[in-house]
Amino acid sequence: MLYVVGVLVAYVLGSVPCGLLLARLFGYGDLRRVGSGNTGATNALRAGGLRLAISVWVLDMAKAFLAVLIGNWIGGATFGAWCGFAAMVGHCFPVWLRFHGGKGVSCLFGIFLAVNPLMFIICGIEWLIVALGFGYSSLGAIIVFCLAPVLGFAISAGVGFAFLAMAALCLYRHLENIGRLVGGTESKITWKWKK
């Protein structure tokens, strides 16, 4: 029963729409009416600039980080990773927003940080190199999704399968981005502190 409660708590934590709440708090309106319509940090960057995006990113990371810690406390590292996955599901498909949320990238980094900070550092450096070098946040994220299961299996099979599930979910959420990257129509990042 405690395991079921842990998964449900992780999902509810993940489903808190930090981007939507912060955008309204900072006066940028409804993120669902901007750009991709998602409530994550990338769309927050389009709506309000880097300041809003960083704020959303940190809070989205924090909720996933907390979900993993709760899972660790209940059932150890493998269950903690699966609670991180539950938080990611909540972030991508929040019940409060008719199951239309973010794409899971910031949550994934929060999970990295909670499971193994070295994963956070490796994937963070990779994302920065690609995002700054090529200008595509989505490309950097897609490479991270491919790295995540490899790094997870280096820890344990259970953790690896949890990261495999996370990677599959994130890739699914990025199918449109992948199509635009292949077609050469993906939009590049505009680095502005504030809009």
Side-chain angles (χ1 to χ4, degrees):
M1 185 64 185
L2 192 58
Y3 283 80
V4 174
V5 171
V7 169
L8 289 175
V9 168
Y11 172 83
V12 171
L13 271 173
S15 67
V16 175
C18 300
L20 187 68
L21 296 173
L22 285 179
R24 287 179 173 171
L25 181 65
F26 291 163
Y28 294 107
D30 192 338
L31 277 186
R32 294 170 295 181
R33 300 177 182 275
V34 177
S36 65
N38 293 311
T39 60
T42 301
N43 209 37
L45 180 64
R46 296 187 187 102
L50 200 54
R51 184 182 70 168
L52 178 62
I54 290 173
S55 301
V56 173
W57 182 278
V58 169
L59 287 182
D60 282 344
M61 273 185 53
K63 65 187 184 183
F65 181 90
L66 183 57
V68 174
L69 293 189
I70 291 170
N72 287 347
W73 177 74
I74 292 173
T78 296
F79 186 67
W82 282 106
C83 282
F85 173 67
M88 182 183 288
V89 171
H91 175 76
C92 294
F93 307 107
V95 64
W96 331 110
L97 303 179
R98 298 181 180 180
F99 304 102
H100 185 76
K103 293 189 175 181
V105 182
S106 51
C107 282
L108 183 59
F109 275 91
I111 296 164
F112 285 152
L113 192 59
V115 170
N116 188 324
L118 185 59
M119 297 176 73
F120 176 85
I121 293 169
I122 291 170
C123 291
I125 291 172
E126 177 278 317
W127 183 87
L128 283 172
I129 289 172
V130 174
L132 293 175
F134 296 94
Y136 295 111
S137 171
S138 57
L139 180 59
I142 289 163
I143 296 172
V144 167
F145 306 151
C146 296
L147 281 174
V150 177
L151 297 172
F153 278 113
I155 297 172
S156 74
V159 172
F161 280 116
F163 276 108
L164 190 62
M166 294 176 213
L169 174 58
C170 288
L171 284 169
Y172 168 74
R173 293 289 288 158
H174 282 75
L175 285 177
E176 291 182 1
N177 300 87
I178 293 170
R180 288 193 295 268
L181 283 167
V182 172
T185 58
E186 179 74 324
S187 59
K188 290 193 173 185
I189 300 172
T190 302
W191 301 101
K192 292 183 179 180
W193 177 246
K194 182 180 176 183
K195 285 190 177 181

